[in-house]
Coordinates of all heavy atoms in Angstrom, one line a residue:
I101 N 9.8 8.4 -5.9 CA 9.0 9.4 -6.5 C 7.5 9.1 -6.4 O 7.1 8.0 -6.2 CB 9.4 9.6 -8.0 CG1 9.2 8.3 -8.8 CG2 10.8 10.1 -8.1 CD1 9.5 8.5 -10.3
D102 N 6.7 10.2 -6.5 CA 5.3 10.1 -6.3 C 4.7 9.1 -7.2 O 4.9 9.1 -8.4 CB 4.7 11.5 -6.5 CG 3.2 11.5 -6.0 OD1 2.8 10.8 -5.1 OD2 2.4 12.2 -6.7
G103 N 3.9 8.2 -6.6 CA 3.1 7.2 -7.4 C 3.8 5.9 -7.6 O 3.2 5.0 -8.1
E104 N 5.0 5.7 -7.2 CA 5.7 4.4 -7.4 C 5.7 3.6 -6.1 O 5.7 4.2 -5.0 CB 7.1 4.6 -8.0 CG 8.2 5.1 -7.0 CD 9.5 5.2 -7.7 OE1 9.7 4.7 -8.8 OE2 10.4 5.9 -7.1
T105 N 5.7 2.3 -6.2 CA 5.9 1.4 -5.1 C 7.3 1.4 -4.7 O 8.2 1.8 -5.5 CB 5.4 0.0 -5.4 OG1 6.3 -0.6 -6.4 CG2 4.0 0.0 -5.9
I106 N 7.6 0.8 -3.5 CA 9.0 0.7 -3.1 C 9.8 -0.2 -4.0 O 10.9 0.1 -4.4 CB 9.1 0.2 -1.6 CG1 8.4 1.2 -0.7 CG2 10.5 0.0 -1.2 CD1 8.2 0.6 0.7
E107 N 9.2 -1.3 -4.5 CA 9.8 -2.2 -5.4 C 10.1 -1.6 -6.7 O 11.1 -1.8 -7.4 CB 9.0 -3.5 -5.6 CG 8.8 -4.3 -4.3 CD 7.7 -3.8 -3.3 OE1 7.0 -2.8 -3.6 OE2 7.6 -4.4 -2.2
D108 N 9.1 -0.7 -7.2 CA 9.4 0.0 -8.4 C 10.6 1.0 -8.3 O 11.3 1.1 -9.2 CB 8.1 0.8 -8.8 CG 7.0 0.0 -9.3 OD1 7.2 -1.2 -9.6 OD2 5.8 0.5 -9.3
A109 N 10.7 1.6 -7.1 CA 11.8 2.5 -6.9 C 13.1 1.7 -6.9 O 14.1 2.2 -7.5 CB 11.6 3.2 -5.6
V110 N 13.2 0.5 -6.3 CA 14.4 -0.3 -6.3 C 14.8 -0.6 -7.8 O 15.9 -0.3 -8.2 CB 14.1 -1.6 -5.6 CG1 15.3 -2.6 -5.9 CG2 14.0 -1.4 -4.1
A111 N 13.8 -1.1 -8.6 CA 14.1 -1.4 -10.0 C 14.6 -0.2 -10.8 O 15.5 -0.2 -11.6 CB 12.9 -2.1 -10.6
R112 N 13.9 1.0 -10.6 CA 14.2 2.2 -11.3 C 15.6 2.7 -11.0 O 16.4 3.0 -11.9 CB 13.2 3.3 -11.0 CG 13.4 4.6 -11.7 CD 12.4 5.7 -11.4 NE 12.3 5.9 -9.9 CZ 13.1 6.5 -9.1 NH1 14.2 7.1 -9.6 NH2 12.8 6.6 -7.8
E113 N 15.9 2.8 -9.7 CA 17.2 3.3 -9.3 C 18.4 2.4 -9.8 O 19.4 2.9 -10.2 CB 17.3 3.5 -7.7 CG 16.5 4.7 -7.2 CD 17.1 6.0 -7.7 OE1 18.3 6.1 -8.0 OE2 16.4 7.0 -7.7
V114 N 18.2 1.1 -9.7 CA 19.2 0.2 -10.1 C 19.4 0.4 -11.6 O 20.6 0.5 -12.1 CB 18.9 -1.3 -9.8 CG1 19.8 -2.3 -10.5 CG2 18.9 -1.5 -8.3
K115 N 18.3 0.5 -12.4 CA 18.4 0.6 -13.8 C 19.1 2.0 -14.2 O 20.0 2.1 -15.0 CB 17.0 0.5 -14.5 CG 17.0 0.6 -16.0 CD 17.6 -0.6 -16.6 CE 17.4 -0.6 -18.1 NZ 18.0 -1.8 -18.7
E116 N 18.6 3.1 -13.5 CA 19.1 4.4 -13.9 C 20.6 4.5 -13.6 O 21.4 5.2 -14.3 CB 18.4 5.5 -13.0 CG 17.0 5.8 -13.5 CD 16.3 6.8 -12.6 OE1 16.9 7.3 -11.6 OE2 15.2 7.1 -12.9
E117 N 21.0 4.0 -12.4 CA 22.4 4.2 -12.0 C 23.4 3.2 -12.5 O 24.6 3.5 -12.6 CB 22.5 4.3 -10.5 CG 21.8 5.5 -9.9 CD 21.9 5.7 -8.4 OE1 22.7 4.9 -7.8 OE2 21.2 6.5 -7.9
T118 N 22.9 2.0 -13.0 CA 23.8 0.9 -13.4 C 23.5 0.3 -14.7 O 24.4 -0.3 -15.3 CB 23.8 -0.2 -12.3 OG1 22.6 -0.9 -12.4 CG2 24.0 0.4 -10.9
G119 N 22.3 0.4 -15.2 CA 21.9 -0.3 -16.4 C 21.5 -1.7 -16.2 O 21.0 -2.4 -17.1
Q120 N 21.6 -2.2 -14.9 CA 21.2 -3.6 -14.6 C 19.7 -3.7 -14.5 O 19.0 -2.8 -13.9 CB 21.9 -4.1 -13.3 CG 23.4 -3.9 -13.3 CD 24.1 -4.7 -14.4 OE1 24.1 -5.9 -14.5 NE2 24.7 -3.9 -15.3
D121 N 19.1 -4.8 -14.9 CA 17.6 -5.1 -14.7 C 17.4 -6.0 -13.5 O 18.0 -7.1 -13.5 CB 17.1 -5.8 -16.0 CG 17.1 -4.8 -17.2 OD1 16.6 -3.7 -17.0 OD2 17.5 -5.2 -18.3
V122 N 16.6 -5.5 -12.6 CA 16.3 -6.3 -11.4 C 15.4 -7.5 -11.8 O 14.3 -7.3 -12.4 CB 15.7 -5.4 -10.3 CG1 15.2 -6.2 -9.2 CG2 16.6 -4.3 -9.9
I123 N 15.8 -8.7 -11.4 CA 15.0 -9.9 -11.6 C 14.0 -10.0 -10.5 O 12.8 -10.3 -10.6 CB 15.9 -11.1 -11.8 CG1 16.8 -11.0 -13.0 CG2 15.0 -12.4 -11.8 CD1 17.9 -12.0 -13.0
R124 N 14.5 -9.9 -9.3 CA 13.7 -9.9 -8.1 C 14.4 -9.1 -7.0 O 15.6 -8.9 -7.0 CB 13.4 -11.3 -7.6 CG 14.6 -12.1 -7.1 CD 14.2 -13.6 -6.8 NE 15.4 -14.3 -6.5 CZ 16.0 -14.5 -5.3 NH1 15.4 -13.9 -4.3 NH2 17.1 -15.2 -5.2
C125 N 13.7 -8.7 -6.0 CA 14.3 -8.0 -4.9 C 13.7 -8.5 -3.5 O 12.6 -9.1 -3.5 CB 14.1 -6.5 -5.0 SG 12.4 -5.9 -5.0
K126 N 14.4 -8.3 -2.5 CA 14.0 -8.8 -1.2 C 14.2 -7.7 -0.2 O 15.4 -7.1 -0.1 CB 14.9 -10.0 -0.8 CG 14.6 -10.6 0.6 CD 15.5 -11.8 0.9 CE 15.3 -12.3 2.2 NZ 14.0 -12.8 2.5
Y127 N 13.2 -7.4 0.6 CA 13.3 -6.4 1.7 C 14.2 -7.0 2.8 O 14.1 -8.1 3.2 CB 11.9 -6.0 2.2 CG 12.0 -5.2 3.5 CD1 12.3 -3.8 3.4 CD2 11.8 -5.8 4.7 CE1 12.4 -3.1 4.5 CE2 11.9 -5.0 5.9 CZ 12.2 -3.6 5.8 OH 12.3 -2.9 6.9
I128 N 15.1 -6.1 3.3 CA 16.1 -6.5 4.3 C 15.8 -5.8 5.6 O 15.6 -6.4 6.7 CB 17.5 -6.3 3.9 CG1 17.8 -7.1 2.6 CG2 18.5 -6.7 5.0 CD1 17.6 -8.6 2.8

Side-chain angles (χ1 to χ4, degrees):
I101 57 176
D102 190 34
E104 74 182 346
T105 67
I106 299 169
E107 295 81 2
D108 288 344
V110 166
R112 178 183 52 77
E113 284 294 336
V114 170
K115 183 70 171 179
E116 283 178 3
E117 295 185 8
T118 73
Q120 307 300 295
D121 290 312
V122 173
I123 298 167
R124 67 183 172 90
C125 62
K126 176 181 179 62
Y127 171 76
I128 301 301

